[in-house]
Amino acid sequence: MAGERQARLGDRIRVILAERLEKGLRDPRLGFVTITDVRVTGDLQHASVFYTVYGTDEEREASAQALKSATGMLRSEVGKHLNVRLTPSLEFIPDALPENAGHIADLLREAQERDAAVAGLAAGAAYAGDADPYVKPREHDADDEA
């Protein structure tokens, strides 16, 4: 039951922050930010907000600074929309999802290239022994009976 309440509160915070960030902040450093997940502690006092930023490393760093600067204002915004006694503190954590996705895409491309190379080798390959190595029963010859 408590875990369900944490999850509901986390989802609500994610929606509030996403809507607020969609309107934009007055901070030019903030890039294209997506809130990917919000995890609330068991005592509902702290929320870890996971986010991604589309862009370069510099844009990601600038957005992290902008979110850090706006944390107090964003917490107030969350407090206005939540029906809880105490508004949880917010901690913005960059989500490694895009980097992992890029790494996985690289690995898949590499595997595909290796598969193509193996298929190329197999196409020109010949059997090391007979084409059909399984022993078959010999045909019954008339000579064998005599």
Side-chain angles (χ1 to χ4, degrees):
M1 178 117 163
E4 189 180 307
R5 186 162 181 221
Q6 286 170 256
R8 272 200 326 266
L9 187 63
D11 283 345
R12 188 77 188 107
I13 292 170
R14 186 177 56 77
V15 169
I16 293 166
L17 289 173
E19 287 173 354
R20 182 62 190 92
L21 290 174
E22 211 172 89
K23 293 176 191 169
L25 299 176
R26 287 200 189 103
D27 195 326
R29 296 176 295 179
L30 189 71
F32 186 73
V33 173
T34 303
I35 305 297
T36 54
D37 193 16
V38 176
R39 295 196 192 127
V40 181
T41 56
D43 61 3
L44 309 178
Q45 298 295 301
H46 181 76
S48 297
V49 181
F50 294 88
Y51 70 95
T52 60
V53 179
Y54 181 76
T56 63
D57 288 342
E58 293 79 27
E59 287 168 317
R60 279 197 278 277
E61 185 58 39
S63 292
Q65 294 301 322
L67 286 171
K68 192 172 182 181
S69 299
T71 299
M73 182 276 293
L74 291 170
R75 184 176 181 212
S76 299
E77 186 84 12
V78 166
K80 275 194 286 187
H81 292 86
L82 284 181
N83 204 6
V84 292
R85 192 168 49 87
L86 288 168
T87 303
S89 60
L90 303 177
E91 178 188 10
F92 289 93
I93 302 167
D95 199 335
L97 241 161
E99 291 82 19
N100 289 348
H103 181 63
I104 289 168
D106 290 344
L107 290 174
L108 287 172
R109 187 178 28 74
E110 191 177 312
Q112 196 173 18
E113 288 168 2
R114 286 186 183 164
D115 286 351
V118 168
L121 289 172
Y127 292 105
D130 293 332
D132 190 358
Y134 296 103
V135 176
K136 294 181 183 57
R138 282 194 231 146
E139 295 291 324
H140 220 57
D141 285 339
D143 297 341
D144 288 344
E145 290 176 15

